[in-house]
Amino acid sequence: MNIILMGPPGAGKGTQAEKLVEKLGLVQISTGDMFRAAMKENTDAGVRAKSFMDQGLLVPDEITNDIVKERLLQGNFGNGFILDGYPRNVFQAESLEKISEELNIKIDAVVNIDVDFEKLIGRLSGRRICRSCGATYNLKFKPSKVEGVCDKCGGELYQRSDEDEETVKTRLNTYVEQTQPLIDYYTNKGELININGDQAMDDVFNDIKTQLEK
Ligand code: AP5
Ligand code: MG
Ligand code: ZN
């Protein structure tokens, strides 16, 4: 099963992807994570992506479509893949359709996690991520057992660099202007599954699982 996971910044895409990987054996393909890894390694794509990410803007489509295509070409998807944070505008959605046709890949569902905007800011400011394994925590909603240390691997927890107030505001605006139109786009195609993301993490996951099983 191949799915697209959509939702505003802080909706819980990464959190739910982590569960889908663990419980359903899917592979996570997060464009945000791939760009952060590229930045760390100072690759061409990483250097170009950095200035956009630091401002909370979308990385140009041609760079983004290329890294997704490259990853999809590699295959090795276990029980399927989760596109986390891609596509993020109509042009990317159309590109994905072309890529899928070329590679003979089928997207089975588009899952949209819906959360009120006021809640997102609180979630993002409390988020902490493991430097070693990428697991996601939250100071308030999902604290690690020992502060600053990953429960799973003992790695160091850090805060992302695009989490200051101004950048978060820009990310939310970018979402409204460019990504939200995709809700109509996929609704019109009859492919959208809407999930209430304003519940406990496990309840969100159970809703996603139930809907996917249908
Ligand atoms: P990306 O890394 O994708 O960031 P994002 O979309 O802003 O989303 P986040 O990762 O911040 O949130 P999330 O939904 O994964 O939430 P999480 O599970 O962590 O993109 C970053 C940047 O990369 C973009 O700004 C852009 O520049 C670039 N980029 C990426 N993709 C691109 C593309 N396709 N095209 C162009 N540019 C692209 O949860 C957040 C927090 O809330 C955590 O602390 C978590 O523990 C907590 N939480 C989760 N669920 C719940 C719950 N149910 N209740 C309480 N707390 C919860
Ligand atoms: Mg994420
Ligand atoms: Zn870890």
Side-chain angles (χ1 to χ4, degrees):
M1 174 159 36
N2 301 321
I3 66 173
I4 293 171
L5 204 48
M6 274 178 51
K13 301 181 293 293
T15 300
Q16 296 303 325
E18 210 174 301
K19 290 180 191 291
L20 289 161
V21 168
E22 227 173 83
K23 308 237 159 98
L24 301 185
L26 303 180
V27 170
Q28 178 188 12
I29 302 177
S30 157
T31 40
D33 287 352
M34 288 195 285
F35 285 135
R36 279 182 288 275
M39 269 159 60
K40 217 165 123 187
E41 287 161 22
N42 257 312
T43 65
D44 279 355
V47 172
R48 289 186 64 196
K50 187 175 183 336
S51 59
F52 297 95
M53 291 180 77
D54 283 350
Q55 295 179 72
L57 301 172
L58 291 189
V59 175
D61 290 332
E62 83 267 12
I63 305 178
T64 309
N65 289 329
D66 276 358
I67 64 157
V68 171
K69 185 170 181 186
E70 215 173 277
R71 175 62 192 89
L72 291 176
L73 266 168
Q74 286 168 9
N76 212 354
F77 299 133
N79 293 334
F81 60 75
I82 310 152
L83 284 171
D84 162 357
Y86 179 91
R88 258 191 229 239
N89 59 30
V90 171
F91 183 71
Q92 291 182 10
E94 289 169 352
S95 302
L96 175 62
E97 277 153 32
K98 278 189 212 128
I99 297 169
S100 304
E101 217 167 283
E102 249 178 83
L103 304 183
N104 207 8
I105 285 170
K106 185 169 174 290
I107 304 292
D108 300 291
V110 181
V111 175
N112 179 48
I113 308 178
D114 189 28
V115 179
D116 282 348
F117 270 40
E118 308 87 77
K119 304 257 164 96
L120 300 174
I121 299 187
R123 284 190 187 185
L124 289 171
S125 59
R127 174 167 55 193
R128 296 293 181 273
I129 302 165
C130 174
R131 230 179 254 293
S132 310
C133 76
T136 301
Y137 297 88
N138 192 287
L139 294 182
K140 184 161 168 211
F141 303 110
K142 190 189 173 188
S144 56
K145 292 195 181 92
V146 178
E147 203 187 315
V149 180
C150 177
D151 293 349
K152 292 188 179 160
C153 77
E156 180 202 355
L157 303 186
Y158 78 103
Q159 187 169 21
R160 257 167 55 177
S161 62
D162 59 352
E163 229 74 297
D164 63 283
E165 213 181 304
E166 269 312 297
T167 314
V168 166
K169 268 194 209 149
T170 311
R171 282 163 59 200
L172 290 171
N173 282 337
T174 305
Y175 170 80
V176 170
E177 282 167 15
Q178 306 206 41
T179 311
Q180 218 164 25
L182 282 181
I183 295 180
D184 283 344
Y185 180 88
Y186 285 118
T187 303
N188 291 337
K189 285 177 174 278
E191 290 170 3
L192 196 81
I193 298 173
N194 248 314
I195 299 288
N196 173 14
D198 192 5
Q199 319 177 65
M201 295 171 202
D202 286 339
D203 295 334
V204 176
F205 178 71
N206 285 331
D207 280 2
I208 294 176
K209 198 165 152 264
T210 307
Q211 290 295 325
L212 289 178
E213 278 162 1
K214 279 189 187 167

